Amino acid sequence: MDLTRMSRFWPALVAVLALGWMAFIFDWPVVLAALAEIRPCPLLPVIALLGLGIYCCCALRWIAINQLPWRLDVFRDVQAYVAVTIAIGIATPMQAGEALKLKFARDAGLPLGASAVNLALERLIDLAILVGFTIGGLVHMFRYPVWLAVMAALVPFLAGLALPDLGQRWARAWPRLARWVGAPLTASALAIVAFASLGKWIFTLASWLAVLGAVGPMPDVGQAMLLIGAVTTVSILSAVPAGLGVQELSARALLTAMDRTPAEAEIGALALRLLLPMMLAVGFAHVPLLWRRRSPHG
């Protein structure tokens, strides 16, 4: 079997192995009994509102990084298709479904190359934040001062935030690449990209804390940062759609390392899976707005 065919089957093989290991090691009677006791109110409305906040931050960032006009109709249209494409991306390998943003950008008349570059920059900024969360969480777990954990988390984020400007400057030095790059980001646009990116992950952090707090002792912020950074990164790199099985096993391992019992760790790991259907529901709730778009805006 050649490498191309192996790459196609690899995510499925990883998912099968992860799910098989889950079936073997999880204490399912205890876990399912605990999950059945979760009270949907007020947890689900809170998660839905936090999910909406995540999508709003993503829309603001897309408007800023593409330097679209700041108008209510523009935000409405961008919010609609960004929410739908992110929902699709959540359920696709390595979140590749987010590339559908490029279709909407092309329909709106934006340069396809610039939009593709901006999409890549968004992913790099998110990756920088995840790395920052992971490092900051590890520093916190080893009992270093809080300020050191915060600084450790901020360094990768600031480095990732510099990528849009540095990448555009580098590309303009090459005639073949210059046409693929949009206008330089203004200081205000870069500030909005920064705050929107942080807002996205702060809302994500709050949603993880809400779910874990509903099924057991709530982890502190540093522990939750480590969970989000490490678990999300592993899930994405596994190329398994929605990190099925991979997310649960990695979350279980980290929660156990945070002094949870195996049963508590398994309950928390499976409870986090509740975020997927909620994010999909909130994202696809924007579909009717797509049909009402009278004039697309990026």
Side-chain angles (χ1 to χ4, degrees), residues 17-28 249:
L17 291 175
L19 291 172
W21 187 240
M22 280 179 59
F24 178 72
I25 66 171
F26 275 41
D27 189 348
W28 289 103
L249 288 177

Side-chain angles (χ1 to χ4, degrees), residues 81-284:
Y81 74 69
V82 163
V84 172
T85 54
I86 291 177
I88 294 172
I90 291 172
T92 53
M94 301 189 76
Q95 299 183 356
E98 281 197 48
L100 285 173
K101 282 186 193 175
L102 302 182
K103 177 184 183 304
F104 291 103
R106 183 185 61 189
D107 293 345
L110 290 178
L112 182 61
S115 298
V117 170
N118 289 336
L119 178 61
L121 290 174
E122 279 193 326
R123 300 300 297 272
L124 288 172
I125 291 171
D126 284 339
L127 179 60
I129 293 176
L130 289 173
V131 170
F133 271 21
T134 303
I135 295 174
L138 284 171
V139 170
H140 170 79
M141 283 194 66
F142 283 104
R143 309 296 182 185
Y144 287 98
V146 174
W147 66 267
L148 187 60
V150 173
M151 291 298 297
L154 281 177
V155 169
F157 168 65
L158 294 175
L161 197 62
L163 289 174
D165 184 62
L166 293 176
Q168 288 177 338
R169 290 178 185 273
W170 179 82
R172 286 193 185 85
W174 300 81
R176 292 185 178 181
L177 295 177
R179 64 189 181 88
W180 295 93
V181 182
L185 286 179
T186 63
S188 59
L190 189 59
I192 293 171
V193 170
F195 283 111
S197 298
L198 282 175
K200 169 187 175 180
W201 290 102
I202 288 172
F203 281 127
T204 302
L205 180 67
S207 65
W208 283 51
L209 285 170
V211 169
L212 291 172
V215 295
M218 181 181 293
D220 59 37
V221 173
Q223 291 174 331
M225 287 172 57
L226 176 58
L227 270 173
I228 291 175
V231 171
T232 304
T233 302
V234 169
S235 298
I236 292 174
L237 293 179
S238 71
V240 176
L244 190 62
V246 177
Q247 173 180 305
E248 285 78 8
L249 288 177
S250 55
R252 178 189 187 274
L254 282 172
L255 287 169
T256 303
M258 295 173 185
D259 297 327
R260 299 285 184 97
T261 67
E264 289 175 339
E266 290 160 9
I267 293 166
L270 283 175
L272 287 173
R273 183 54 69 184
L274 294 174
L275 294 171
L276 175 64
M278 288 302 300
M279 289 297 294
L280 292 177
V282 175
F284 289 126

